[in-house]
Amino acid sequence: MLLQNLENEIQTLRLVLYDLGQEVDDYSSGKILLLSKRLDEKIIQYQKLKKYKCHH
C-alpha cells in the first residue's frame, strides 16, 4: 500500500513538473526547484522501501 501511494505521488509530481515546465521558461524558478526536490525525496523513499521489502 505504501509503495503504491509513493508511486502515485511520484507520478503526480512528475506531471505537475512537466506542466509547470511547459508554462515557465526559467527552470531555476523556486517552484520548479522545490517540486523537483520533493520528487527526488519521494523517489529515494520509494527505492529504499522497495529494497527493504525485497530483502524481508
Side-chain angles (χ1 to χ4, degrees):
M1 179 82 153
L2 186 56
L3 276 175
Q4 183 63 43
N5 288 343
L6 282 170
E7 287 173 358
N8 292 340
E9 287 183 58
I10 288 168
Q11 184 61 26
T12 299
L13 284 169
R14 284 181 175 152
L15 291 172
V16 170
L17 275 170
Y18 177 80
D19 289 343
L20 192 56
Q22 297 296 312
E23 298 171 12
V24 178
D25 291 333
D26 182 11
Y27 288 96
S28 63
S29 91
K31 191 170 188 177
I32 290 177
L33 292 175
L34 179 64
L35 287 173
S36 182
K37 181 181 179 209
R38 283 183 51 204
L39 177 59
D40 289 346
E41 290 168 351
K42 294 294 180 183
I43 291 171
I44 290 168
Q45 281 181 323
Y46 177 82
Q47 289 172 338
K48 285 181 180 179
L49 186 59
K50 194 166 184 177
K51 183 177 178 182
Y52 176 81
K53 285 197 173 229
C54 286
H55 289 26
H56 289 91

